[in-house]
Amino acid sequence: MNLNVLIRENPLFLSLTRKQLENINHIALIKKYKKEELIFSEGDLAKGFYLVISGRIKVYKLSSSGKEFILDIFTTGQTIAEAAIFSGETFPAYAEALTDSQLLYIPKAEFLRLLKESPDLSLKMLSSFSQRLRKFSVAIEELSLKEVTSRLARYILELSKQSGLRTPKGIECKLNLTKEQLAKSLGTISETLSRSLKKLKEKKAISIQANKITILNLKFLESISSGSKI
Amino acid sequence: MNLNVLIRENPLFLSLTRKQLENINHIALIKKYKKEELIFSEGDLAKGFYLVISGRIKVYKLSSSGKEFILDIFTTGQTIAEAAIFSGETFPAYAEALTDSQLLYIPKAEFLRLLKESPDLSLKMLSSFSQRLRKFSVAIEELSLKEVTSRLARYILELSKQSGLRTPKGIECKLNLTKEQLAKSLGTISETLSRSLKKLKEKKAISIQANKITILNLKFLESISSGSKI
DNA sequence: CGTTCGCTTGAGGCCGTTCAAGCGACGTGG
DNA sequence: CCACGTCGCTTGAACGGCCTCAAGCGAACG
């Protein structure tokens, strides 16, 4: 495991000089978490943020009755909660390890100092925040204006763009989460997700083999994603 | 109307030097919009962002069937769509003038140059983005996990913190938008909002006089806001 | 005085949740 | 090797919150 390479792989840190990278490496701490271990809770003081070295981390909201909404699942090379260290002093959500994981913990104070030295780093962060804002605004739009099947269609389409494989039958993509987790990422529950998947199968938009989804009718899936009724 | 004062009032620009303020003033354009005029559409190329000089601007999402979700309503001194000029090239939502309005249009290219000169300005923007992310994450949480009445309660509580007046009867606050607009800010429709307000009135949590809401039972309102059933 | 507008109220229906049961795959222990 | 429990997922029935559609109502205004 070469930490320097890992840090440099993150788009945020692309612009840093060798020396600044070493600085980060110097101020950062490696922390290990077991599967299902809580990393932080909503409301906890945010004195730093995290970069995933290995494993999978779930960031989620919790309702008073215990229902979960998964904001994102992070893997190797991605940063978590970097926005929490500006303004406000607390984490706005929960984070939990889905698998045994190693995280790099980067303390707030030192990082802010680094930020003042490197205007490029600031710009990268601004760009990263702006992307996340975009992502959130899509989530808000979908939750308030669209049905579950439509959100599911969008999810599958995005998945296919990121990791889809062209095959004779259609575009094949692998689900890296359980149906339960997918449901909680779409703002619903597994029963409803199951029924939505069934609808898409019946309409021959997709087919499913274990944890693989094959897109059979891209156009149709896109029209559902954009809100047309099934 | 003193533009310099107005620009300086925005927390983003607090840190700028006199010279940098003049720079902004120099590169910026004043644009006027009539009531109900469209300022930009989702998907439009974002070559700059806006600062409200006067008037009220509604920023919203639109579903394919025409349903609206109001992300925010901006007034004097606030900036609009500044996140859109980083990453991605398009506006992620629509903007429309609710009243006759004057906006300051700040072109992207020149502003980015300014940003590189002023690390402080970058930090201010990061902080502002982080606040907006927080706001969005609350919206996502509420839309996915809470009922309309609960969201309404949170809205009233926030309103009371910003502009509430202590009176013998309770905390009094003024609604600056129509019920229709409020409904669309909460991700619902005016009929449902009307019923939710009725529930809160019946439970003696609030009372309503035209466009004024008086909080009669703060604790109760807080418990509803945090998700307990009515 | 009639029209429009913002808001409220009622009836009906739909989507999604809840609750309950069933199913195959898998691992464990008898 | 089989019985048994667990787990992830699916399916069905019933319920509930919210939306749709329609009507009513008071205030503002020409």
Side-chain angles (χ1 to χ4, degrees), chain A residues 11 16-17 23 27 63 65 84 87 95 100 103 114 125 131 143-144 151 164 170 176 186 198 207-209 226:
Chain A
L16 295 188
T17 62
N23 270 339
I27 61 174
S63 82
S65 62
S87 89
D100 289 0
L103 302 187
L114 199 61
M125 291 214 87
Q131 276 171 40
L143 287 170
S144 64
R151 291 178 240 159
N176 282 319
L186 298 176
K198 197 178 171 188
S207 68
I208 303 183
Q209 312 80 33
S226 70

Side-chain angles (χ1 to χ4, degrees), chain B residues 65-110:
Chain B
S65 61
K67 197 181 162 191
E68 222 180 88
F69 181 87
I70 299 183
L71 287 167
D72 221 328
I73 293 178
F74 296 95
T75 57
T76 303
Q78 298 185 291
T79 47
I80 301 179
E82 67 276 25
I85 66 167
F86 303 92
S87 87
E89 318 75 23
T90 57
F91 292 112
Y94 296 82
E96 180 190 311
L98 290 176
T99 62
D100 289 0
S101 303
Q102 288 199 2
L103 302 187
L104 194 69
Y105 176 76
I106 302 169
K108 168 177 172 170
E110 282 86 346

Side-chain angles (χ1 to χ4, degrees), chain A:
Chain A
M1 164 204 62
N2 186 331
L3 250 187
N4 259 324
V5 169
L6 194 64
I7 295 177
R8 206 177 309 125
E9 260 172 21
N10 184 300
L12 273 190
F13 303 136
L14 272 179
S15 60
L16 295 188
T17 62
R18 179 179 215 87
K19 198 175 158 200
Q20 287 170 327
L21 277 177
E22 269 170 30
N23 270 339
I24 286 197
N25 221 328
H26 200 67
I27 61 174
L29 250 68
I30 293 183
K31 296 194 177 189
K32 300 182 184 190
Y33 297 89
K34 290 252 165 256
K35 180 176 177 175
E36 291 182 15
E37 193 176 342
L38 192 66
I39 296 163
F40 54 77
S41 291
E42 175 162 3
D44 281 359
L45 233 59
K47 295 181 179 169
F49 67 100
Y50 298 84
L51 186 149
V52 184
I53 299 171
S54 66
R56 291 163 59 77
I57 311 296
K58 167 178 83 171
V59 173
Y60 60 102
K61 288 277 192 179
L62 221 43
S63 82
S64 59
S65 62
K67 198 182 162 191
E68 222 180 88
F69 181 87
I70 299 183
L71 287 167
D72 221 328
I73 293 179
F74 295 96
T75 58
T76 302
Q78 298 185 291
T79 47
I80 302 179
E82 67 275 23
I85 65 168
F86 304 92
S87 89
E89 319 75 21
T90 58
F91 292 112
Y94 296 83
E96 181 191 311
L98 289 177
T99 63
D100 289 0
S101 302
Q102 287 200 5
L103 302 187
L104 194 69
Y105 176 76
I106 301 169
K108 169 176 172 171
E110 282 86 346
F111 187 75
L112 289 181
R113 212 180 305 136
L114 199 61
L115 214 52
K116 285 196 182 170
E117 289 173 15
S118 166
D120 258 17
L121 180 56
S122 296
L123 284 178
K124 291 270 164 53
M125 291 214 87
L126 281 168
S127 151
S128 147
F129 282 15
S130 136
Q131 276 171 40
R132 182 143 319 204
L133 278 167
R134 232 169 251 276
K135 220 172 160 179
F136 276 13
S137 79
V138 169
I140 292 175
E141 175 181 13
E142 289 192 336
L143 287 170
S144 64
L145 305 175
K146 293 182 180 172
E147 313 191 340
V148 171
T149 310
S150 163
R151 291 178 240 159
L152 171 60
R154 193 262 313 148
Y155 185 93
I156 296 172
L157 287 168
E158 229 163 71
L159 197 62
S160 78
K161 276 174 206 153
Q162 284 169 18
S163 64
L165 292 176
R166 293 200 157 282
T167 73
K169 299 200 170 178
I171 306 171
E172 206 177 273
C173 34
K174 194 163 154 262
L175 268 186
N176 282 319
L177 25 58
T178 66
K179 302 272 162 70
E180 171 103 40
Q181 288 164 356
L182 176 54
K184 287 174 176 172
S185 302
L186 298 176
T188 186
I189 56 177
S190 57
E191 291 97 322
T192 302
L193 171 62
S194 186
R195 288 181 244 265
S196 285
L197 281 169
K198 197 178 171 188
K199 275 192 209 170
L200 292 182
K201 275 189 285 185
E202 282 169 357
K203 294 286 180 179
K204 311 257 188 248
I206 60 169
S207 68
I208 303 183
Q209 312 80 33
N211 257 18
K212 264 188 338 200
I213 294 182
T214 308
I215 300 179
L216 303 176
N217 189 337
L218 191 64
K219 293 279 171 226
F220 183 57
L221 207 57
E222 283 169 346
S223 85
I224 290 172
S225 160
S226 70
S228 64
K229 295 274 175 190
I230 235 175

